[in-house]
Amino acid sequence: MTTTTAAAQPTWKDRLGRAEYRWSPYLYIAPFFVVFAITGLYPLLYTAWVSLHKWHLIGGEQGFVGMQNYVDVVQQPTFWIALRNTFSIFLLSSVPQIIVAVFIAWILDSNLRAKTFWRMGVLLPYVVAPVAVSMIFTKVFADQSGMANTLLGMIGVDPIGWHANAFASHIAIANMVNFRWTGYNALILLAAMQAIPQELYEAATVDGAGRARQFFSVTIPQLRSTIIFVVITSTIGGLQIFDEPRMFDTMGNGGADKQWLTLTMYLYQLGWGPQKSFGRAAAIAWILFLIIILIGMINFAITQRIATSGGDRRRGRGGRGRGRGGSSAGEGSTPLPTPAPQTGLDVTPGAVLVDDGKEQR
């Protein structure tokens, strides 16, 4: 009896094996969360702490002020100008960028010669440094001798003040952003397109769908999750834009009348400019963080709603097709044969089998 009890008790090796089986997955992913806590979560919380204090760049902390930094920032007209410019540049860059990236990915997914060359070619602008891109586009969109105004003059259009006009400057900066990031997003979408099963395209071809119909009815619905990812990342990057507007002119102040001043540039001016107010700069950082979270949630909800409604419509069409001919192929398809009814076997409750329980033929 004693021997049986001793044998049933787990040894330290058994306990170690169970602990390793239970805790090893957490240990494998722990390095990421440790690094994220140090480089991401701690700065985020520390920025929130700074935003509640009067904090000078040189003098340091000078007392708790609560939400006063947020109130002071929101009451400044420059904040609303920067917010308007940020959203304008974001919309002018992100929306065309995603649409063009989807079509570029679709073209690269077709049977092209030298596929690797074209795929590497669309990624080259992403490799170029943002400062170099800004310098090139600053010359292209120069007010007096820029290539853009030269081309417009050849077709009889008056020169555009790319630096004087607010909307024109937003278009120029959006072109910089699109030049760098369209190819990057196109490769992400291309990778998702290559994961779509070919059986779906073969079935669409059998049903008579052309390439355009396959693109909108097969490719786009299958890219739902990837498009959501690209939209969210573009939202984050578009609202945090800094390099392109900062380098759009030699002064780097967002224009004489703040025509292209963005929130991140305004944050930089408050924290490292004449005011040297880290408290107000931290408040802008947190306002921008909350705006990004809100816009990201709205984008996610809209894309999910569109994808869900599209799936419901497809299921509705499939149900109507099966009702007409027994399959979703629609009119012209051969209906499935109806099985012949059985005779001689009553399956109603309380029935008695006839002919010794054998089915009559």
Side-chain angles (χ1 to χ4, degrees):
M1 195 69 179
T2 305
T3 306
T4 304
T5 304
Q9 294 180 353
T11 62
W12 67 273
K13 291 184 178 181
D14 296 334
R15 294 192 184 95
L16 182 61
R18 294 176 183 176
E20 180 182 1
Y21 178 79
R22 177 179 299 179
W23 297 105
S24 58
Y26 300 98
L27 294 177
Y28 294 149
I29 64 175
F32 165 77
F33 288 99
V34 171
V35 174
F36 172 75
I38 296 174
T39 62
L41 184 60
Y42 172 74
L44 184 66
L45 298 178
Y46 187 73
T47 302
W49 171 260
V50 173
S51 68
L52 301 177
H53 294 75
K54 184 179 180 182
W55 205 294
H56 194 266
L57 176 62
I58 300 176
E61 182 182 354
Q62 298 178 357
F64 180 81
V65 295
M67 303 296 293
Q68 188 60 41
N69 286 326
Y70 293 88
V71 175
D72 294 339
V73 166
V74 173
Q75 290 179 348
Q76 295 295 324
T78 305
F79 170 79
W80 298 104
I81 295 175
L83 183 63
R84 180 204 64 187
N85 295 339
T86 301
F87 272 96
S88 177
I89 297 173
F90 159 67
L91 293 175
L92 290 173
S93 60
S94 296
V95 176
Q97 178 187 137
I98 295 174
I99 295 175
V100 174
V102 171
F103 280 98
I104 291 177
W106 180 57
I107 294 173
L108 292 178
D109 193 38
S110 60
N111 294 325
L112 293 176
R113 293 183 178 180
K115 289 184 177 180
T116 305
F117 171 78
W118 295 112
R119 293 173 183 177
M120 292 298 296
V122 298
L123 191 62
L124 285 179
Y126 174 73
V127 182
V128 180
V131 176
V133 174
S134 301
M135 293 178 63
I136 294 172
F137 275 84
T138 300
K139 299 299 181 182
V140 171
F141 292 101
D143 293 337
Q144 302 298 330
S145 59
M147 185 177 68
N149 280 336
T150 301
L151 295 176
L152 291 176
M154 295 174 62
I155 59 176
V157 179
D158 295 334
I160 298 175
W162 298 104
H163 291 77
N165 184 272
F167 185 71
S169 63
H170 298 172
I171 294 177
I173 295 172
N175 277 283
M176 300 184 200
V177 179
N178 294 333
F179 175 77
R180 290 196 63 230
W181 292 97
T182 301
Y184 174 82
N185 290 327
L187 288 187
I188 295 177
L189 294 167
L190 174 63
M193 286 184 184
Q194 292 178 339
I196 300 176
Q198 291 297 322
E199 291 81 3
L200 298 178
Y201 293 104
E202 294 173 359
T205 303
V206 171
D207 288 342
R211 285 183 61 87
R213 182 62 183 273
Q214 292 179 18
F215 175 76
F216 289 104
S217 299
V218 179
T219 305
I220 296 298
Q222 293 295 318
L223 293 178
R224 181 186 63 182
S225 58
T226 307
I227 291 177
I228 292 174
F229 170 78
V230 171
V231 167
I232 293 177
T233 54
S234 299
T235 301
I236 296 173
L239 294 178
Q240 292 180 343
I241 184 171
F242 179 80
D243 294 336
E244 289 81 0
R246 172 75 175 175
M247 297 297 299
F248 190 54
D249 66 349
T250 57
M251 302 300 295
N253 293 325
D257 295 327
K258 302 178 179 60
Q259 301 96 312
W260 61 87
L261 179 71
T262 61
L263 279 178
T264 52
M265 294 178 64
Y266 186 45
L267 183 155
Y268 177 81
Q269 291 179 5
L270 287 180
W272 286 268
Q275 297 187 30
K276 295 181 175 58
S277 176
F278 265 22
R280 294 183 179 180
I284 292 181
W286 257 90
I287 292 174
L288 181 59
F289 172 72
L290 296 177
I291 291 174
I292 291 174
I293 294 296
L294 178 62
I295 299 300
M297 293 175 62
I298 293 174
N299 288 338
F300 180 78
I302 292 175
T303 51
Q304 282 286 92
R305 182 68 178 270
I306 293 174
T308 303
S309 61
D312 293 340
R313 287 195 298 269
R314 289 192 298 273
R315 285 192 293 269
R317 288 195 297 268
R320 290 192 296 270
R322 287 189 293 271
R324 288 192 301 267
S327 66
S328 60
E331 298 180 358
S333 59
T334 304
L336 296 177
T338 305
Q342 297 180 354
T343 59
L345 182 59
D346 191 356
V347 293
T348 58
V352 180
L353 298 177
V354 297
D355 194 13
D356 296 333
K358 298 180 180 180
E359 181 182 354
Q360 295 181 355
R361 299 292 182 183

